[in-house]
Coordinates of all heavy atoms in Angstrom, one line a residue:
M1 N 103.3 62.1 92.6 CA 102.9 62.6 93.9 C 103.9 63.7 94.2 O 103.5 64.7 94.9 CB 102.9 61.5 94.9 CG 102.3 61.9 96.1 SD 101.6 60.4 96.9 CE 102.0 60.7 98.5
T2 N 105.1 63.6 93.9 CA 106.1 64.7 94.2 C 105.8 66.0 93.4 O 106.1 67.0 93.9 CB 107.6 64.3 94.0 OG1 107.7 63.8 92.6 CG2 107.9 63.2 94.9
E3 N 105.2 65.8 92.2 CA 104.8 67.0 91.4 C 103.7 67.8 92.1 O 103.8 69.0 92.1 CB 104.3 66.6 90.0 CG 105.4 65.9 89.1 CD 104.8 65.5 87.8 OE1 103.8 66.0 87.4 OE2 105.5 64.6 87.2
E4 N 102.8 67.2 92.7 CA 101.7 67.9 93.5 C 102.4 68.7 94.6 O 102.0 69.8 94.8 CB 100.7 66.9 94.0 CG 99.9 66.3 92.9 CD 98.9 65.2 93.5 OE1 98.7 65.3 94.7 OE2 98.5 64.4 92.7
T5 N 103.2 68.1 95.3 CA 103.8 68.9 96.5 C 104.7 70.0 96.0 O 104.7 71.1 96.6 CB 104.6 68.0 97.4 OG1 105.6 67.3 96.6 CG2 103.7 66.9 98.0
T6 N 105.4 69.9 94.9 CA 106.3 71.0 94.4 C 105.4 72.1 93.8 O 105.7 73.3 94.0 CB 107.3 70.5 93.4 OG1 106.6 69.9 92.3 CG2 108.3 69.6 94.0
T7 N 104.2 71.8 93.2 CA 103.4 72.8 92.6 C 102.6 73.5 93.7 O 102.3 74.7 93.6 CB 102.5 72.3 91.5 OG1 101.7 71.3 92.1 CG2 103.3 71.8 90.3
A8 N 102.2 72.8 94.8 CA 101.5 73.4 95.9 C 102.4 74.3 96.8 O 101.9 75.3 97.3 CB 100.8 72.3 96.7
A9 N 103.6 73.9 96.9 CA 104.5 74.7 97.8 C 104.7 76.2 97.4 O 104.5 77.1 98.3 CB 105.8 74.0 98.0
P10 N 105.0 76.5 96.2 CA 105.1 77.9 95.8 C 103.9 78.8 96.0 O 104.0 79.9 96.3 CB 105.6 77.9 94.4 CG 106.1 76.5 94.2 CD 105.4 75.6 95.1
S11 N 102.7 78.2 95.8 CA 101.5 79.0 95.8 C 101.1 79.3 97.3 O 100.6 80.4 97.5 CB 100.3 78.2 95.3 OG 100.1 77.0 96.0
T12 N 101.5 78.5 98.3 CA 101.3 78.8 99.7 C 102.4 79.7 100.3 O 102.2 80.4 101.3 CB 101.2 77.6 100.5 OG1 102.3 76.8 100.4 CG2 99.9 76.7 100.1
E13 N 103.6 79.7 99.7 CA 104.7 80.5 100.2 C 104.6 81.9 99.6 O 104.6 82.1 98.4 CB 106.0 79.8 99.8 CG 107.2 80.3 100.5 CD 108.4 79.4 100.2 OE1 108.3 78.2 100.3 OE2 109.4 80.1 100.0
R14 N 104.6 82.9 100.6 CA 104.5 84.3 100.2 C 105.8 85.0 100.6 O 106.2 84.8 101.7 CB 103.3 84.9 100.8 CG 102.0 84.3 100.4 CD 100.9 84.9 101.1 NE 99.6 84.4 100.7 CZ 98.5 84.6 101.3 NH1 98.4 85.3 102.4 NH2 97.3 84.0 100.9
P15 N 106.3 85.9 99.8 CA 107.4 86.7 100.2 C 107.0 87.6 101.4 O 105.9 88.0 101.5 CB 107.9 87.5 99.0 CG 106.7 87.5 98.1 CD 105.8 86.3 98.5
A16 N 108.0 88.0 102.2 CA 107.7 88.9 103.3 C 107.4 90.3 102.8 O 108.0 90.7 101.8 CB 108.9 88.9 104.3
L17 N 106.4 91.0 103.4 CA 106.1 92.3 103.0 C 107.1 93.3 103.4 O 107.5 93.3 104.6 CB 104.7 92.7 103.5 CG 103.5 92.0 102.9 CD1 102.2 92.2 103.7 CD2 103.3 92.3 101.5
P18 N 107.6 94.1 102.5 CA 108.7 95.1 102.9 C 108.1 96.3 103.7 O 106.9 96.5 103.7 CB 109.2 95.5 101.5 CG 108.1 95.4 100.6 CD 107.3 94.2 101.1
D19 N 109.0 97.0 104.2 CA 108.7 98.3 104.9 C 108.2 99.3 104.0 O 107.2 100.1 104.3 CB 109.9 98.8 105.6 CG 109.6 100.1 106.4 OD1 108.7 100.2 107.2 OD2 110.3 101.1 106.0
H20 N 108.7 99.4 102.7 CA 108.3 100.4 101.7 C 108.0 99.7 100.5 O 108.8 98.9 100.0 CB 109.5 101.4 101.5 CG 109.2 102.6 100.8 ND1 109.9 103.7 100.9 CD2 108.3 102.8 99.9 CE1 109.5 104.6 100.0 NE2 108.4 104.1 99.4
L21 N 106.8 99.9 99.9 CA 106.4 99.2 98.7 C 105.6 100.2 97.8 O 104.8 101.0 98.3 CB 105.5 98.0 99.1 CG 105.0 97.1 98.0 CD1 106.2 96.3 97.3 CD2 104.0 96.1 98.4
S22 N 105.8 100.0 96.5 CA 105.1 100.9 95.5 C 104.4 100.0 94.5 O 105.0 99.0 94.1 CB 106.2 101.8 94.9 OG 105.5 102.6 93.8
T23 N 103.3 100.5 93.8 CA 102.7 99.8 92.8 C 103.3 100.2 91.4 O 103.0 99.6 90.4 CB 101.2 100.1 92.8 OG1 101.0 101.5 92.7 CG2 100.5 99.5 94.0
D24 N 104.1 101.3 91.3 CA 104.6 101.8 90.1 C 105.8 100.9 89.8 O 106.8 100.8 90.5 CB 105.1 103.3 90.3 CG 105.6 103.9 89.1 OD1 105.5 103.2 88.0 OD2 106.1 105.0 89.1
E25 N 105.8 100.4 88.6 CA 106.9 99.5 88.1 C 108.2 100.2 87.9 O 109.3 99.5 87.9 CB 106.5 98.7 86.8 CG 105.3 97.9 86.9 CD 104.9 97.2 85.6 OE1 105.4 97.6 84.6 OE2 104.0 96.4 85.7
R26 N 108.2 101.4 87.7 CA 109.5 102.2 87.5 C 110.1 102.6 88.9 O 111.3 103.0 88.9 CB 109.1 103.5 86.8 CG 108.7 103.3 85.4 CD 108.1 104.5 84.8 NE 107.0 104.9 85.5 CZ 106.3 106.0 85.3 NH1 106.7 106.9 84.4 NH2 105.2 106.4 86.1
S27 N 109.5 102.4 90.0 CA 110.0 102.7 91.3 C 111.0 101.6 91.8 O 110.8 100.4 91.5 CB 108.8 102.8 92.3 OG 109.3 102.9 93.7
P28 N 112.0 102.0 92.5 CA 112.9 101.0 93.1 C 112.3 100.2 94.3 O 112.9 99.3 94.6 CB 114.1 101.9 93.6 CG 113.5 103.3 93.8 CD 112.4 103.4 92.8
H29 N 111.1 100.7 94.7 CA 110.4 100.0 95.8 C 109.4 99.0 95.2 O 108.5 98.5 96.0 CB 109.8 101.0 96.8 CG 110.8 101.9 97.3 ND1 111.7 101.5 98.3 CD2 111.0 103.2 97.1 CE1 112.4 102.5 98.6 NE2 112.1 103.5 97.9
F30 N 109.3 98.8 93.9 CA 108.3 97.8 93.4 C 108.9 96.4 93.4 O 110.1 96.2 93.0 CB 108.1 98.2 91.9 CG 107.2 97.3 91.1 CD1 105.8 97.4 91.3 CD2 107.7 96.3 90.3 CE1 105.0 96.5 90.7 CE2 106.8 95.5 89.6 CZ 105.5 95.5 89.8
V31 N 108.1 95.5 93.9 CA 108.6 94.1 94.0 C 107.5 93.2 93.3 O 106.4 93.1 93.8 CB 108.8 93.6 95.5 CG1 109.2 92.1 95.5 CG2 109.7 94.5 96.1
K32 N 107.8 92.7 92.1 CA 106.7 92.0 91.3 C 106.2 90.7 92.0 O 105.1 90.4 91.9 CB 107.3 91.6 90.0 CG 106.4 91.0 89.0 CD 107.0 90.7 87.7 CE 105.9 90.1 86.8 NZ 106.4 89.9 85.4
A33 N 107.1 90.0 92.7 CA 106.7 88.8 93.4 C 105.6 89.0 94.4 O 104.7 88.2 94.7 CB 107.9 88.1 94.0
I34 N 105.5 90.1 95.1 CA 104.6 90.4 96.1 C 103.2 90.6 95.4 O 102.2 90.2 96.0 CB 104.9 91.6 96.9 CG1 106.2 91.3 97.8 CG2 103.8 92.2 97.8 CD1 106.7 92.4 98.6
F35 N 103.1 91.3 94.3 CA 101.9 91.6 93.6 C 101.2 90.4 92.9 O 100.2 90.5 92.3 CB 102.0 92.8 92.7 CG 102.3 94.0 93.4 CD1 103.5 94.6 93.3 CD2 101.3 94.6 94.2 CE1 103.7 95.8 94.0 CE2 101.6 95.8 94.8 CZ 102.8 96.4 94.8
E36 N 101.9 89.2 93.0 CA 101.2 88.0 92.5 C 100.2 87.5 93.6 O 99.5 86.6 93.3 CB 102.3 86.9 92.3 CG 103.2 87.3 91.2 CD 104.4 86.3 91.0 OE1 104.5 85.3 91.8 OE2 105.2 86.5 90.0
H37 N 100.2 88.1 94.7 CA 99.3 87.8 95.8 C 98.4 89.0 96.1 O 98.8 90.2 95.8 CB 100.0 87.3 97.1 CG 101.0 86.3 96.8 ND1 100.7 84.9 96.6 CD2 102.3 86.3 96.7 CE1 101.7 84.2 96.5 NE2 102.8 85.0 96.5
D38 N 97.3 88.8 96.7 CA 96.5 90.0 97.1 C 97.1 90.6 98.4 O 97.3 90.0 99.4 CB 95.0 89.6 97.5 CG 94.3 89.2 96.2 OD1 94.6 89.8 95.1 OD2 93.4 88.4 96.3
V39 N 97.4 91.9 98.3 CA 98.0 92.7 99.4 C 96.9 93.7 99.9 O 96.3 94.3 99.1 CB 99.3 93.4 99.0 CG1 99.8 94.2 100.1 CG2 100.3 92.4 98.5
G40 N 96.8 93.8 101.2 CA 95.9 94.8 101.8 C 96.6 95.8 102.6 O 97.7 95.4 103.2
I41 N 96.1 97.0 102.6 CA 96.7 98.0 103.4 C 95.7 98.6 104.4 O 94.6 98.9 104.1 CB 97.2 99.3 102.5 CG1 98.2 98.7 101.5 CG2 97.8 100.3 103.4 CD1 99.5 98.2 102.1
R42 N 96.0 98.6 105.6 CA 95.1 99.2 106.7 C 95.8 100.5 107.1 O 97.0 100.6 107.6 CB 95.0 98.2 107.9 CG 93.8 98.5 108.8 CD 93.6 97.4 109.8 NE 93.2 96.2 109.2 CZ 93.9 95.0 109.3 NH1 95.0 95.0 110.0 NH2 93.5 93.9 108.7
F43 N 95.1 101.6 107.0 CA 95.6 102.9 107.3 C 94.7 103.5 108.5 O 93.5 103.7 108.2 CB 95.6 103.9 106.1 CG 96.1 105.2 106.3 CD1 97.4 105.4 106.6 CD2 95.2 106.3 106.3 CE1 97.9 106.7 106.8 CE2 95.7 107.6 106.6 CZ 97.0 107.8 106.8
N44 N 95.2 103.8 109.6 CA 94.5 104.3 110.7 C 93.3 103.4 111.1 O 92.2 103.8 111.2 CB 94.0 105.7 110.5 CG 95.2 106.7 110.6 OD1 96.3 106.5 111.1 ND2 95.0 107.9 109.9
D45 N 93.6 102.1 111.0 CA 92.6 101.0 111.4 C 91.4 100.9 110.4 O 90.4 100.3 110.7 CB 92.0 101.1 112.8 CG 93.2 101.1 113.8 OD1 94.1 100.3 113.6 OD2 93.1 101.8 114.9
K46 N 91.6 101.4 109.1 CA 90.6 101.3 108.2 C 91.3 100.7 106.9 O 92.4 101.1 106.5 CB 89.9 102.6 107.7 CG 88.9 103.1 108.7 CD 88.3 104.2 108.1 CE 87.0 104.6 108.9 NZ 86.3 105.8 108.2
E47 N 90.7 99.8 106.3 CA 91.3 99.2 105.0 C 91.1 100.1 103.8 O 90.1 100.6 103.6 CB 90.7 97.8 104.6 CG 91.5 97.1 103.6 CD 91.0 95.7 103.4 OE1 90.1 95.2 104.1 OE2 91.5 95.0 102.4
R48 N 92.2 100.4 103.1 CA 92.2 101.3 102.0 C 92.5 100.5 100.7 O 93.3 99.6 100.7 CB 93.3 102.3 102.1 CG 93.1 103.3 103.2 CD 92.1 104.4 103.0 NE 92.3 105.2 101.8 CZ 92.5 106.5 101.8 NH1 92.7 107.1 103.0 NH2 92.6 107.1 100.7
F49 N 91.8 100.8 99.7 CA 91.9 100.1 98.4 C 92.6 100.9 97.3 O 92.8 100.4 96.2 CB 90.5 99.6 97.9 CG 89.8 98.7 98.9 CD1 88.9 99.3 99.8 CD2 90.2 97.4 99.1 CE1 88.2 98.5 100.7 CE2 89.6 96.6 100.0 CZ 88.6 97.1 100.8
D50 N 92.9 102.1 97.6 CA 93.5 103.1 96.6 C 95.0 103.4 96.8 O 95.4 104.4 96.2 CB 92.6 104.3 96.5 CG 92.6 105.1 97.8 OD1 92.9 104.5 98.8 OD2 92.1 106.2 97.8
V51 N 95.6 102.7 97.6 CA 97.0 103.0 98.0 C 98.0 102.7 96.9 O 98.0 101.6 96.4 CB 97.4 102.3 99.3 CG1 98.8 102.5 99.6 CG2 96.5 102.7 100.4
A52 N 98.8 103.7 96.5 CA 99.8 103.4 95.4 C 101.1 103.2 96.0 O 102.0 102.5 95.3 CB 99.8 104.7 94.5
E53 N 101.4 103.6 97.1 CA 102.7 103.4 97.8 C 102.5 103.6 99.3 O 101.7 104.4 99.7 CB 103.7 104.5 97.3 CG 105.2 104.3 97.7 CD 106.1 105.2 96.9 OE1 105.7 106.0 96.1 OE2 107.3 105.2 97.3
Y54 N 103.4 102.9 100.1 CA 103.4 103.1 101.5 C 104.7 102.9 102.1 O 105.6 102.3 101.5 CB 102.3 102.0 102.1 CG 102.8 100.6 102.1 CD1 103.7 100.2 103.2 CD2 102.4 99.7 101.2 CE1 104.2 98.9 103.2 CE2 102.9 98.4 101.3 CZ 103.7 98.0 102.2 OH 104.2 96.7 102.3
C55 N 104.9 103.4 103.4 CA 106.0 103.2 104.1 C 105.6 103.0 105.6 O 105.1 104.0 106.2 CB 107.1 104.3 104.0 SG 108.6 104.1 104.9
I56 N 105.9 101.9 106.1 CA 105.3 101.6 107.5 C 106.2 102.3 108.6 O 105.6 102.9 109.4 CB 105.4 100.0 107.7 CG1 104.4 99.4 106.8 CG2 105.1 99.7 109.2 CD1 104.5 97.9 106.8
S57 N 107.5 102.3 108.4 CA 108.4 102.9 109.4 C 108.2 104.4 109.5 O 108.3 105.0 110.6 CB 109.8 102.6 109.1 OG 110.3 103.1 107.9
E58 N 107.9 105.1 108.4 CA 107.8 106.5 108.4 C 106.3 106.9 108.6 O 106.0 108.0 108.9 CB 108.2 107.1 107.1 CG 109.8 106.9 107.0 CD 110.3 107.5 105.6 OE1 109.5 108.2 104.9 OE2 111.5 107.2 105.3
G59 N 105.4 105.9 108.4 CA 104.0 106.1 108.7 C 103.2 106.9 107.7 O 102.6 107.9 108.1
W60 N 103.3 106.6 106.4 CA 102.6 107.3 105.4 C 102.2 106.4 104.2 O 102.8 105.4 104.0 CB 103.4 108.5 104.8 CG 104.8 108.2 104.2 CD1 106.0 108.3 104.9 CD2 105.1 107.7 102.9 NE1 107.0 107.9 104.1 CE2 106.5 107.5 102.9 CE3 104.3 107.3 101.8 CZ2 107.1 107.1 101.7 CZ3 104.9 106.9 100.7 CH2 106.3 106.7 100.7
I61 N 101.1 106.9 103.5 CA 100.8 106.2 102.2 C 100.6 107.3 101.2 O 100.4 108.5 101.6 CB 99.4 105.5 102.5 CG1 98.3 106.5 102.9 CG2 99.5 104.4 103.4 CD1 96.9 105.8 102.8
K62 N 100.6 107.0 100.0 CA 100.3 107.8 98.9 C 99.1 107.3 98.1 O 99.1 106.2 97.8 CB 101.5 108.0 97.9 CG 102.7 108.8 98.4 CD 103.7 109.0 97.4 CE 104.9 109.8 98.0 NZ 105.9 110.0 97.0
V63 N 98.2 108.2 97.9 CA 96.9 107.9 97.2 C 96.7 108.9 96.1 O 97.1 110.1 96.2 CB 95.8 107.8 98.1 CG1 95.9 106.7 99.1 CG2 95.5 109.1 98.9
P64 N 96.0 108.5 95.0 CA 95.7 109.5 93.9 C 94.7 110.5 94.4 O 93.8 110.2 95.2 CB 95.2 108.6 92.8 CG 94.9 107.3 93.4 CD 95.6 107.2 94.6
V65 N 94.9 111.7 93.8 CA 93.9 112.8 94.1 C 92.9 112.8 93.0 O 93.1 113.4 91.9 CB 94.6 114.1 94.1 CG1 93.6 115.3 94.5 CG2 95.7 114.1 95.2
G66 N 91.7 112.1 93.2 CA 90.7 112.1 92.1 C 91.1 111.6 90.8 O 91.9 110.7 90.7
N67 N 90.7 112.4 89.7 CA 91.1 112.0 88.4 C 92.2 113.0 87.8 O 92.4 113.0 86.6 CB 89.9 112.1 87.5 CG 88.9 111.0 87.8 OD1 89.3 109.9 88.2 ND2 87.7 111.3 87.6
K68 N 92.8 113.7 88.7 CA 93.9 114.7 88.2 C 95.1 113.9 87.8 O 95.5 113.0 88.4 CB 94.2 115.7 89.4 CG 92.9 116.3 89.9 CD 93.1 117.8 90.0 CE 91.8 118.4 90.6 NZ 91.4 119.5 89.8
V69 N 95.8 114.4 86.7 CA 97.0 113.9 86.2 C 98.0 115.0 86.1 O 97.6 116.2 85.9 CB 96.8 113.1 84.9 CG1 96.0 111.9 85.1 CG2 96.2 114.0 83.9
D70 N 99.3 114.7 86.1 CA 100.4 115.6 85.8 C 100.6 115.7 84.3 O 99.8 115.1 83.5 CB 101.6 115.2 86.5 CG 102.3 113.9 86.1 OD1 101.8 113.4 85.2 OD2 103.2 113.5 86.7
R71 N 101.5 116.5 83.9 CA 101.8 116.7 82.5 C 102.2 115.5 81.7 O 102.2 115.5 80.5 CB 102.6 117.9 82.2 CG 104.1 117.6 82.8 CD 105.0 118.9 82.5 NE 106.3 118.6 83.0 CZ 106.9 119.3 84.0 NH1 106.2 120.3 84.6 NH2 108.1 118.9 84.3
K72 N 102.6 114.5 82.4 CA 103.1 113.3 81.8 C 102.0 112.2 81.8 O 102.2 111.1 81.3 CB 104.4 112.7 82.4 CG 105.6 113.7 82.3 CD 106.8 113.0 83.0 CE 107.9 114.0 82.9 NZ 109.1 113.5 83.6
G73 N 100.9 112.5 82.3 CA 99.8 111.6 82.4 C 99.7 110.7 83.6 O 98.8 109.8 83.6
N74 N 100.6 110.8 84.5 CA 100.6 110.1 85.7 C 99.6 110.7 86.7 O 99.5 111.9 86.8 CB 102.0 110.0 86.4 CG 103.0 109.4 85.4 OD1 102.7 108.5 84.8 ND2 104.2 110.0 85.4
P75 N 98.9 109.9 87.6 CA 98.0 110.5 88.6 C 98.7 111.3 89.6 O 99.9 111.0 90.0 CB 97.3 109.3 89.2 CG 98.1 108.1 88.8 CD 98.9 108.5 87.6
L76 N 98.1 112.4 90.0 CA 98.7 113.2 91.1 C 98.5 112.5 92.4 O 97.4 111.9 92.6 CB 98.0 114.6 91.2 CG 98.4 115.6 90.0 CD1 97.6 116.9 90.3 CD2 99.8 115.9 90.0
M77 N 99.5 112.5 93.3 CA 99.4 111.8 94.5 C 99.5 112.7 95.7 O 100.1 113.8 95.6 CB 100.6 110.8 94.7 CG 100.7 109.8 93.6 SD 99.4 108.6 93.8 CE 99.7 107.5 92.5
I78 N 98.8 112.3 96.7 CA 98.9 113.0 98.0 C 99.4 112.0 99.1 O 99.1 110.9 99.1 CB 97.5 113.6 98.4 CG1 97.6 114.5 99.6 CG2 96.5 112.5 98.6 CD1 96.3 115.3 99.9
K79 N 100.2 112.6 100.0 CA 100.8 111.7 101.1 C 100.0 112.0 102.3 O 99.8 113.1 102.8 CB 102.2 112.1 101.3 CG 103.0 111.2 102.3 CD 104.3 111.7 102.7 CE 105.4 111.3 101.6 NZ 106.8 111.6 102.0
L80 N 99.4 110.9 102.9 CA 98.7 111.0 104.1 C 99.5 110.2 105.2 O 100.1 109.2 105.0 CB 97.4 110.2 104.0 CG 96.5 110.7 102.8 CD1 95.3 109.8 102.7 CD2 96.1 112.1 103.1
K81 N 99.6 110.9 106.4 CA 100.4 110.4 107.5 C 99.5 109.8 108.5 O 98.4 110.3 108.8 CB 101.3 111.4 108.1 CG 102.3 112.0 107.1 CD 103.3 112.8 107.8 CE 104.4 113.2 106.8 NZ 105.6 113.6 107.5
G82 N 100.0 108.6 109.1 CA 99.2 107.9 110.1 C 99.7 106.5 110.4 O 100.9 106.2 109.9
K83 N 99.0 105.7 111.0 CA 99.4 104.3 111.3 C 99.1 103.4 110.1 O 98.0 103.3 109.6 CB 98.6 103.8 112.5 CG 98.9 102.4 112.9 CD 98.0 102.0 114.1 CE 98.0 100.5 114.3 NZ 97.0 100.1 115.2
V84 N 100.2 102.7 109.6 CA 100.1 101.9 108.4 C 100.4 100.5 108.7 O 101.4 100.2 109.4 CB 101.1 102.4 107.3 CG1 101.1 101.6 106.1 CG2 100.9 103.9 107.0
E85 N 99.5 99.6 108.2 CA 99.8 98.1 108.3 C 99.5 97.5 107.0 O 98.6 97.8 106.3 CB 98.8 97.6 109.3 CG 98.8 98.1 110.7 CD 97.6 97.6 111.6 OE1 97.5 96.3 111.6 OE2 96.9 98.4 112.1
S86 N 100.4 96.5 106.6 CA 100.2 95.8 105.4 C 100.0 94.3 105.8 O 100.5 93.9 106.7 CB 101.4 95.9 104.5 OG 102.6 95.4 105.1
F87 N 99.2 93.6 104.9 CA 98.9 92.2 105.2 C 98.5 91.6 103.9 O 98.2 92.2 102.9 CB 97.8 92.1 106.2 CG 96.5 92.8 105.8 CD1 95.5 92.1 105.2 CD2 96.3 94.2 106.0 CE1 94.4 92.7 104.7 CE2 95.1 94.8 105.6 CZ 94.1 94.0 105.0
Y88 N 98.6 90.2 103.9 CA 98.1 89.4 102.8 C 96.6 89.1 103.0 O 96.3 88.7 104.1 CB 98.9 88.2 102.6 CG 100.3 88.4 101.9 CD1 101.4 88.2 102.7 CD2 100.3 88.7 100.6 CE1 102.7 88.4 102.1 CE2 101.6 88.9 100.0 CZ 102.7 88.7 100.8 OH 104.0 88.9 100.2
K89 N 95.9 89.2 102.0 CA 94.4 88.8 102.1 C 94.3 87.3 102.0 O 95.0 86.6 101.5 CB 93.6 89.5 101.0 CG 93.6 91.0 101.2 CD 92.7 91.6 100.2 CE 92.8 93.1 100.3 NZ 91.8 93.7 99.3

């Protein structure tokens, strides 16, 4: 019975969402533990599904620009400014 409670506790416990988060594993703002859960981003009161990086305090998100890539093969990003909210789904 104690095994059930110990296995159930980590699945319901989620780390706090940071002010600045990136999906790029090479970024210092990448937190692997957060991406084990579904994270949602609301930008200007609309949910966005293509956000690669965000900062709540500065009010911006970075999203890819179509299928364009830089010379290293990484997608080109554009920074959009507005009201940013992050949440767990």
Side-chain angles (χ1 to χ4, degrees):
M1 196 151 139
T2 57
E3 291 177 27
E4 291 177 18
T5 56
T6 57
T7 57
S11 64
T12 58
E13 195 172 312
R14 298 175 179 169
L17 289 169
D19 176 58
H20 191 158
L21 185 65
S22 175
T23 59
D24 185 7
E25 294 178 354
R26 298 169 293 175
S27 171
H29 302 289
F30 178 78
V31 181
K32 185 176 181 178
I34 289 178
F35 291 109
E36 293 174 357
H37 309 283
D38 287 332
V39 177
I41 304 297
R42 201 172 290 120
F43 181 70
N44 290 337
D45 298 324
K46 284 187 165 181
E47 189 171 357
R48 297 284 302 245
F49 301 100
D50 59 347
V51 176
E53 188 172 355
Y54 73 81
C55 182
I56 296 173
S57 63
E58 295 177 11
W60 56 262
I61 61 171
K62 284 188 180 180
V63 295
V65 181
N67 293 330
K68 306 228 182 229
V69 294
D70 63 8
R71 63 179 181 243
K72 295 181 181 178
N74 300 320
L76 288 178
M77 298 289 176
I78 185 170
K79 186 186 280 189
L80 303 174
K81 295 189 176 200
K83 180 180 162 191
V84 181
E85 300 172 55
S86 62
F87 58 94
Y88 283 113
K89 293 182 181 182

